[in-house]
Each structure stands twice: as C-alpha cells, then as structure tokens.
Amino acid sequence: MNGHFECLQVAKVVAPKKASLAVAQEEYDEVMVQLNAKEADLKEVMDKLATMEAQLAASTKEKQRLEAEVELCTQKLDRAEKLIGGLGGEKARWTEVAAQLGVQYTNLTGDMLISAGVISYLGAFTMVFRDRIIG
C-alpha cells in the first residue's frame, strides 16, 4: 500500500505540473505562431528594403551619369561660345575679303585686256627691254 500511496502522491504532484506544461505548451505554440508571423513580416520589410536600396543605388548611379553629362555639356557650351566669339572676327574678315574679290572680279575683264595688249605689244622685244619698260 505504501507503493500505491507514493504513486498517488507522485500523481498529485505531477498532475498539476502536466497541466501547467499543457498551458505553457499552448502559450508557447501561440507565441511561436506570432513569432513566425512577425518573422514573415520582417522578411517582407527586409525584401522591400533591399529593393529600395537597389533602386537607390541605381538612382545614384543615374544621377552621377547625368551630372557628368551636364558637366560635359557645359564644357561643350563654353567651347562653342568661344568658337562663335572667335568666328565673329572671322565674319568681318571674310566680308572684307568677299568685297575685295568682288572688286577684283569687276576689274578682271579690264585687267585681262590690258595684259593681252602688253603681251602683244612687248612680245616682239627682248627680255631686258621688256623688264626695263614694265619695271
């Protein structure tokens, strides 16, 4: 009977502990479900963060490319302004040269006539005499 009494004592001690274990196990399972849900949420947020960081890196790279392009365009614009400024003086020079060529073109017929006359008149004389007459 002593053995039966000890078994009853053990059952009295173990039964509340088993009940506590069952309650604790239920709480653990609930907490684990919540933990898994929070971990899933965390993974989703981390994935969004990774996507945003990738977009940030791409945007930063694009910004740097555009800044370099702006710098290059600014340099080209400065060079173009210098070239246009330098060509402004060329325009005046070319206008003057064109006017001189126009005058020479107008005088060309008379110059050719005079040259033909000099060649035909002085052609019969010696080189020394022609140099003395022309010079």
Side-chain angles (χ1 to χ4, degrees):
M1 184 122 154
N2 229 0
H4 187 49
F5 181 71
E6 284 181 23
C7 188
L8 187 59
Q9 288 293 343
V10 168
K12 284 183 182 179
V13 171
V14 171
K17 289 184 179 183
K18 281 185 177 180
S20 295
L21 176 64
V23 170
Q25 186 65 41
E26 286 179 22
E27 288 178 12
Y28 174 76
D29 291 340
E30 288 177 16
V31 169
M32 288 305 292
V33 168
Q34 292 174 359
L35 177 63
N36 290 336
K38 295 299 179 186
E39 284 178 345
D41 291 343
L42 177 62
K43 183 182 182 312
E44 184 180 325
V45 169
M46 292 302 286
D47 290 344
K48 284 182 182 179
L49 178 63
T51 302
M52 289 179 175
E53 286 177 345
Q55 288 175 345
L56 175 65
S59 296
T60 302
K61 186 176 180 181
E62 179 69 11
K63 178 185 168 230
Q64 290 173 346
R65 185 190 66 79
L66 290 174
E67 285 174 347
E69 189 174 327
V70 165
E71 180 64 28
L72 181 63
C73 287
T74 302
Q75 291 174 356
K76 286 181 180 179
L77 183 61
D78 289 342
R79 290 182 199 140
E81 288 174 352
K82 288 177 183 177
L83 182 62
I84 289 171
L87 291 177
E90 286 294 306
K91 180 183 178 188
R93 189 178 72 82
W94 278 96
T95 303
E96 183 181 324
V97 167
Q100 289 174 357
L101 287 174
V103 170
Q104 288 177 356
Y105 181 74
T106 304
N107 295 337
L108 183 63
T109 306
D111 290 346
M112 288 174 53
L113 185 62
I114 291 172
S115 297
V118 167
I119 289 172
S120 24
Y121 178 72
L122 295 177
F125 298 108
T126 65
M127 185 68 164
V128 175
F129 181 70
R130 282 185 284 191
D131 285 340
R132 202 173 70 204
I133 294 291
I134 294 176

